[in-house]
Amino acid sequence: MKTCISCGKQAKRYTEFESPNGEKIVRCKYCKENGVPYKTPSGFEGP
Ligand SMILES: [Zn+2]
């Protein structure tokens, strides 16, 4: 399990990808499907 960057919960089902700044971004299935916003430590924001 990994921590979702959007909701901060431990996610069993998640997607992992890299931001343009080379950071690992983990989002759970719920946040991905609902487009919950996130911000990385370097200031990259999504979805
Ligand atoms: Zn989440």
Side-chain angles (χ1 to χ4, degrees):
M1 302 224 293
K2 295 204 176 187
T3 305
C4 169
I5 194 170
S6 291
C7 63
K9 290 177 187 165
Q10 290 285 306
K12 203 180 290 179
R13 300 177 69 185
Y14 59 87
T15 52
E16 188 171 15
F17 56 100
E18 253 182 44
S19 78
N21 301 323
E23 297 163 300
K24 285 269 186 289
I25 295 173
V26 174
R27 287 181 97 200
C28 69
K29 190 171 177 288
Y30 174 86
C31 290
K32 183 171 182 287
E33 288 180 351
N34 291 280
V36 180
Y38 62 85
K39 191 174 184 181
T40 70
S42 73
F44 177 71
E45 291 181 67

